[in-house]
Amino acid sequence: MGTVEQSRWKRVAVGCVALVLLASVVTGCRPEPAVTPSSSPSPSPTMKDTTPGPSVSPIETEEPQSSFELPTACEQIYSASMLAGLQSANPPLNDPGVTMLSTENAELLEIIHGGAPTLRCSWGQPSEYGLATNVTEIDGGQATAILEALPAAGFGCEALGDGTVCRIEQRGVTLDDEEYTRGETHYVGDGAVVTTAWINFAPEGYTEDVVATLWG
């Protein structure tokens, strides 16, 4: 890490410092809204001395809708065992003083803060130890844009269940000679994206548990 990067991370704090990734932030293209073409019947030629058949109304096709339902409470995104572990390891849930973003990726931030239905969950107090997770509804076009943006920003991606999980991690030392580890883990699934940023607190199997709980 260079001198400029170290000076920016003199104090790494969950309550007031947003994650800055090693990789450059890439803004993907905004997906255009899908347009469902409507079909209209071609005019039939008029034939003499023929009996007209029954009229047929055009059938409009629709894109399949996702069955994903956004949870209404953070407790609903974890299994019972993971929830108990989080409550024991790094309470509380949703401390109002924790303002940590769940990602620093521009493409994801635009979606999360662009009005899409979102559930935010955080663990820990304002400190150098904790995490923040958002569950945000997305459409197919947004999912494609995210999966193009994350690898370009240095994330390593792989299949997880019926979706894709992408991760990035950084280790360093502050000017006070304190070691830290920070990173982001994001899952793109049918109908939603789960974004998680963490610092010095990355429970084993965290995202996998959320995915299994929400998508089965």
Side-chain angles (χ1 to χ4, degrees):
M1 180 183 300
T3 304
V4 175
E5 181 66 12
Q6 288 181 345
S7 63
R8 294 178 62 187
W9 284 94
K10 184 175 181 181
R11 298 289 180 181
V12 181
V14 172
C16 60
V17 180
L19 284 172
V20 179
L21 302 180
L22 285 174
S24 301
V25 174
V26 176
T27 304
C29 298
R30 295 185 181 178
E32 295 184 356
V35 178
T36 304
S38 59
S39 59
S40 56
S42 301
S44 301
T46 302
M47 298 183 66
K48 194 173 183 179
D49 297 328
T50 58
T51 302
S55 60
V56 179
S57 300
I59 300 176
E60 295 185 359
T61 59
E62 296 182 356
E63 293 185 356
Q65 299 295 317
S66 170
S67 60
F68 182 84
E69 294 185 7
L70 186 70
T72 58
C74 290
E75 290 85 351
Q76 298 172 0
I77 75 172
Y78 307 107
S79 66
S81 59
M82 176 61 70
L83 180 60
L86 293 168
Q87 290 171 332
S88 174
N90 196 24
L93 171 62
N94 293 335
D95 187 306
V98 176
T99 58
M100 181 182 189
L101 297 175
S102 66
T103 182
E104 280 294 320
N105 181 268
E107 184 73 41
L108 288 171
L109 286 174
E110 184 176 359
I111 293 172
I112 294 170
H113 299 292
T118 296
L119 175 68
R120 172 179 166 82
C121 309
S122 68
W123 288 96
Q125 299 176 338
S127 67
E128 300 175 353
Y129 192 79
L131 63 78
T133 291
N134 278 5
V135 182
T136 304
E137 291 187 8
I138 58 173
D139 58 32
Q142 290 170 323
T144 299
I146 292 170
L147 292 176
E148 291 175 351
L150 292 182
F155 285 75
C157 300
E158 61 183 354
L160 176 61
D162 293 329
T164 302
V165 64
C166 299
R167 311 174 195 271
I168 196 167
E169 182 177 310
Q170 176 186 2
R171 297 175 184 270
V173 180
T174 68
L175 294 179
D176 295 329
D177 292 328
E178 296 180 355
E179 295 183 356
Y180 66 85
T181 305
R182 58 180 181 174
E184 295 187 12
T185 303
H186 309 315
Y187 176 78
V188 182
D190 180 26
V193 58
V194 179
T195 56
T196 299
W198 52 270
I199 182 166
N200 295 325
F201 181 64
E204 183 176 356
Y206 177 88
T207 296
E208 289 80 359
D209 184 85
V210 174
V211 171
T213 302
L214 295 183
W215 279 275

